[in-house]
Amino acid sequence: MSTLRRLLSRRTLAYVTASAVSVAGGGYYYLNSGPAYPASTRETRRPPPPWTPPHRPAMLHALQRSSEDPEEEFDLLVVGGGATGAGVAVDAASRGLRVALVERNDFSSGTSSKSTKLVHGGVRYLQKAVMELDYEQYKLVREALHERRIFLQTAPYLSHMLPIMLPIYKYWQVPYYYAGCKMYDILAGKENMESSYLMSKGKALEMFPMLKSEGLVGAVVYYDGQHNDSRMNVALIMTAVKLGATVANYCGVTDLHKNAEGKLIGAKVKDELTGREFNVRAKGIINATGPYADSLLSLNNPSHKPIVRPSSGVHITLPAYYAPARMGLLDPATSDGRVIFFLPWQGGVVAGTTDSPAKVNAQGEEVTAAEDEVRWVMDEVRGYLSRDIRVRRGDVLSAWAGLRPLISAGSEGGTEGLVRNHLVRVEESGLVTIAGGKWTTYRAMAEETVDKAVEVFGLEDKAKGGCRTEDLRLVGSDGWSRNMFIGLIQRFGLDTDVAKQLSDNYGDRAWTVCALAEPTGEQWPLHGVRLSPNYSYLEAEVLYATRHEYACTAIDVLARRTRLAFVNAQAALVALPRVIEIMSKELEWSRAREREEFERGVKFLGSMGLAPMLGVGPSVVARGSIPGWFSWLEGGFWHLAGLAGLPVPPSAPALPTTPMQIYSRAKFEAGEVDALKELFNRHAIPQAEAQAPGVIAQADMRLRKAEIRNVLKEFASEWPGDGYEGFREADYRYVFEEEGFKDREDVDFDGFVEICGNLKDVSMVPVVTRKAKIERKRIPVEKSGGGV
């Protein structure tokens, strides 16, 4: 007893209490002292000092001059204008090197604009590291978490923290997911964003009311970063230009030049817009072409063996009502083991990603989201949303696919076993290749690449010290704060959503955009004519992109300078003529170029998941036709531009007035309901109790539910092209259950038409050539982390 008293003395209790408080306080500080938005370095209530980058012809002239004047030789020629190439250009230019960058298409036109929009460490990679004691995965997560913080510091207006919910439907998963998220916090250390936390079922449904409540026991919320990927890419390009780099989009490398010793000394470059070719001379060349890395390696060495095994990632955009504005969701256990992120972004909701082996397409050819992948994403979304939300194919505002440049391990097979690390490789000719990786680690990849290039090409004397990009703020960051948008509203009289959009996508360069905005002629807003009435993108952004960000085509503006094509491809299609009109006046396009821009724009937007009756697909463009609602293009701008005469099909006749008018909304063509009625009568049978002598009423006719599939197949053969060809078993099950027909044996005509309408509503198939169904297999979840 005396020993116990001594152990419980006041001094001992004081020591224990002080130690506990210190540990708790230190732990709390450690987990909650993460990155905050950095303070502005300039006045945020007025425009920053003006800066206009050199125009594209001046850049082309500088590239060509390098082969004519030895004094103008570049230290490095970077091939590829995506995240990695732009990051390399910024790093090298910040060290004082003379840098040139060329991109065959537009900056970020490939993988770098088609990511999951996440800046993340990879919670699934952490699971792999722990469960299999994989040190390489551990290093990948640590590196990505460190780079995640740098995103918030160097481009705070383009990236932000986002809470992501993991819904839990089994009690044993609560400690499992919570421990994993806490380990994620601890691994981030003092660079952690916010501490993860548990959430009760009631609180989870309050925060995410669209979530399925049946069986829900709670949720875990953790934090990761989110950004606007192509805007980030453009910010990197413009930062490199401001540091002295020479850049040019739509300039592809067609040949490599070597000296007598077989070392690279330059390249032949082709201006894809004019067809003109010229030489560029440089001490070293860096291959940063992402999924196309093997193309340049093969140009360097025809016997090269591929090192990149691309994987296709598919995402869809849904309306904003599918998710809260400030809460994402992660589905960690889909039907085949892949992971889906469900994230609010740019006023909509992005759902993806998938992981399927893919082939590298020809450069310049758009990667199109396969319809079966789009439907798989929709099926998974249906699985974790509330039953009172009908997930419709018509709600897909856009759909896109991007190629992930995974590094091959030398083995054959699928891509699901390949992780998102990177490699820097040096060829005998001196070509330095950076391949693999993901958006989050672009800066670290660039640092490693430039370090190697300085060593290989003997640039130590020219490089002014080591890497500086950890603290280098990108263009637009210095005069930005989260309240800057208020100054834009007060000075220019903008709508609040427009000012927020400009602030969050341009930083302090938003002042320059606003200076180009035309008066609206209305009482409010005073300035800011919109490209689309339902979205906050302005016509002034078209001018800004053309004058200040090297936009050369209408799709450069709609898809990458603004994000309208990704947010809503239909709205982008409607805005396309106006964008062409503005750019044509600015760049003095010919009438032939205007027509070419329109056809190219329609083709691109047709690859972005437009559904029938809402847009056009490649098959429509191939026939040279345009939807009937688009017939106004015959006059107005196109008439003045001399482009009238585009073939326009006649408008569809008015829908018939029938008792089924409620189902006519964008579902049934003229005469279609009557045809369904005739088909129903052909296959329906009278109810047993209704078999009395005399005429049998329509209401007594019933069609067995099991026959509906065969009946609609017959209808599809008689009415081809009306959308009855693509129904799947999953579509039938979903509609039967949602409409209360699950337990019925038969349906009357009203029920039959309701089923048909809802099948078309849910399963609307875009007018594209459907690809062969991809054979699925179980994918290890630890290999399928989302994001580029």
Side-chain angles (χ1 to χ4, degrees), residues 235-257:
L236 287 167
I237 290 292
M238 302 315 299
T239 302
V241 171
K242 199 166 187 178
L243 292 170
T246 301
V247 305
N249 51 353
Y250 294 100
C251 284
V253 171
T254 59
D255 197 10
L256 297 174
H257 299 154

Side-chain angles (χ1 to χ4, degrees), residues 190-207:
K190 65 181 181 180
E191 296 175 336
N192 190 41
M193 289 181 164
E194 292 286 349
S195 183
S196 57
Y197 57 91
L198 281 171
M199 187 179 285
S200 66
K201 175 181 178 179
K203 188 66 175 177
L205 293 175
E206 179 184 346
M207 296 298 298

Side-chain angles (χ1 to χ4, degrees), residues 409-650:
S411 59
E412 299 296 329
T415 60
E416 68 277 0
L418 304 179
V419 296
R420 304 305 302 276
N421 51 15
H422 64 272
L423 66 82
V424 177
R425 165 172 165 162
V426 182
E427 308 301 311
E428 291 184 4
S429 64
L431 178 65
V432 175
T433 297
I434 171 65
K438 58 181 182 177
W439 240 120
T440 307
T441 58
Y442 87 91
R443 193 209 61 82
M445 295 163 58
E447 178 181 355
E448 184 178 343
T449 303
V450 177
D451 285 344
K452 177 61 68 173
V454 168
E455 174 190 338
V456 171
F457 304 129
L459 300 174
E460 292 86 355
D461 293 338
K462 290 196 172 185
K464 301 174 183 177
C467 179
R468 303 178 180 181
T469 53
E470 279 207 27
D471 303 313
L472 179 65
R473 307 185 80 181
L474 302 187
V475 165
S477 299
D478 289 337
W480 177 85
S481 75
R482 283 181 289 176
N483 296 324
M484 192 194 80
F485 76 97
I486 299 175
L488 297 177
I489 296 172
Q490 293 174 339
R491 177 166 296 200
F492 294 99
L494 303 174
D495 277 330
T496 300
D497 62 329
V498 170
K500 281 285 293 180
Q501 183 270 132
L502 294 175
S503 173
D504 292 345
N505 288 316
Y506 296 89
D508 63 24
R509 300 293 292 168
W511 294 98
T512 305
V513 179
C514 291
L516 299 173
E518 294 290 335
T520 63
E522 301 175 3
Q523 186 176 359
W524 190 267
L526 303 179
H527 289 83
V529 179
R530 301 188 185 218
L531 279 175
S532 174
N534 297 322
Y535 294 92
S536 55
Y537 303 109
L538 301 184
E539 292 184 357
E541 294 179 66
V542 182
L543 276 178
Y544 180 82
T546 306
R547 294 178 183 177
H548 298 272
E549 293 183 340
Y550 303 110
C552 299
T553 72
I555 290 303
D556 293 349
V557 174
L558 288 170
R560 293 174 285 273
R561 303 310 187 276
T562 71
R563 307 314 306 274
L564 186 56
F566 283 79
V567 173
N568 190 326
Q570 169 66 21
L573 184 62
V574 175
L576 177 62
R578 179 57 180 157
V579 172
I580 294 174
E581 182 180 12
I582 296 171
M583 296 187 72
S584 177
K585 183 177 180 180
E586 182 70 18
L587 299 176
E588 299 181 348
W589 285 344
S590 65
R591 293 177 179 178
R593 174 65 187 275
E594 289 173 345
R595 177 181 285 273
E596 179 185 346
E597 283 294 317
F598 177 73
E599 293 174 350
R600 184 187 303 166
V602 171
K603 183 177 181 180
F604 173 84
L605 294 171
S607 73
M608 292 291 289
L610 288 175
M613 296 180 290
L614 293 178
V616 293
S619 61
V620 177
V621 178
R623 297 194 302 268
S625 62
I626 301 170
W629 62 265
F630 217 37
S631 60
W632 61 271
L633 287 177
E634 285 289 85
F637 163 62
W638 296 112
H639 182 78
L640 293 175
L643 301 181
L646 291 173
V648 178

Side-chain angles (χ1 to χ4, degrees), residues 757-777:
N758 289 327
L759 281 169
K760 294 185 73 172
D761 197 20
V762 168
S763 307
M764 199 175 345
V765 182
V767 187
V768 295
T769 302
R770 297 194 64 191
K771 297 183 179 180
K773 184 176 180 180
I774 299 175
E775 182 178 355
R776 298 201 183 282
K777 62 180 180 179

Side-chain angles (χ1 to χ4, degrees), residues 73-301:
E73 181 185 30
F74 291 104
D75 296 320
L76 294 176
L77 171 62
V78 182
V79 183
T84 306
V88 169
V90 170
D91 191 308
S94 67
R95 302 191 197 195
L97 299 176
R98 294 197 73 244
V99 180
L101 180 147
V102 294
E103 162 61 44
R104 184 182 299 271
N105 299 300
D106 186 30
F107 305 123
S108 79
S109 58
T111 304
S112 297
S113 64
K114 299 178 178 179
S115 72
T116 314
K117 324 303 180 191
L118 281 178
V119 184
H120 66 141
V123 290
R124 308 317 299 267
Y125 301 146
L126 178 60
Q127 181 193 39
K128 171 73 173 178
V130 173
M131 300 301 291
E132 298 188 14
L133 301 178
D134 190 329
Y135 184 64
E136 291 301 317
Q137 294 281 357
Y138 170 81
K139 290 196 302 182
L140 178 66
V141 176
R142 282 299 304 267
E143 178 186 51
L145 288 172
H146 174 65
E147 295 300 318
R148 184 183 69 174
R149 177 194 66 82
I150 296 175
F151 257 85
L152 292 179
Q153 301 296 317
T154 58
Y157 66 96
L158 287 170
S159 51
H160 59 270
M161 296 180 288
L162 180 70
I164 300 177
M165 177 188 295
L166 283 78
I168 302 175
Y169 290 90
K170 296 179 181 178
Y171 283 100
W172 67 265
Q173 292 177 334
V174 174
Y176 177 74
Y177 286 145
Y178 184 66
C181 290
K182 278 300 174 187
M183 189 175 298
Y184 195 59
D185 294 343
I186 293 171
L187 201 59
K190 65 181 181 180
E191 296 175 336
N192 190 41
M193 289 181 164
E194 292 286 349
S195 183
S196 57
Y197 57 91
L198 281 171
M199 187 179 285
S200 66
K201 175 181 178 179
K203 188 66 175 177
L205 293 175
E206 179 184 346
M207 296 298 298
F208 209 117
M210 307 83 176
L211 198 62
K212 181 177 69 175
S213 61
E214 294 86 350
L216 183 69
V217 299
V220 176
V221 176
Y222 75 98
Y223 284 78
D224 252 328
Q226 188 180 48
H227 75 141
N228 187 338
D229 49 8
S230 73
R231 289 296 316 168
M232 180 73 176
N233 204 139
V234 170
L236 287 167
I237 290 292
M238 302 315 299
T239 302
V241 171
K242 199 166 187 178
L243 292 170
T246 301
V247 305
N249 51 353
Y250 294 100
C251 284
V253 171
T254 59
D255 197 10
L256 297 174
H257 299 154
K258 300 179 182 179
N259 60 17
E261 289 77 31
K263 299 296 183 181
L264 290 174
I265 58 173
K268 178 181 286 187
V269 174
K270 179 182 179 181
D271 183 351
E272 303 291 343
L273 298 180
T274 64
R276 185 170 63 91
E277 292 186 324
F278 53 89
N279 296 325
V280 178
R281 188 175 180 87
K283 294 182 175 64
I285 299 178
I286 295 178
N287 176 12
T289 52
Y292 305 100
D294 288 318
S295 298
L296 197 62
L297 285 166
S298 296
L299 191 63
N300 174 68
N301 179 10

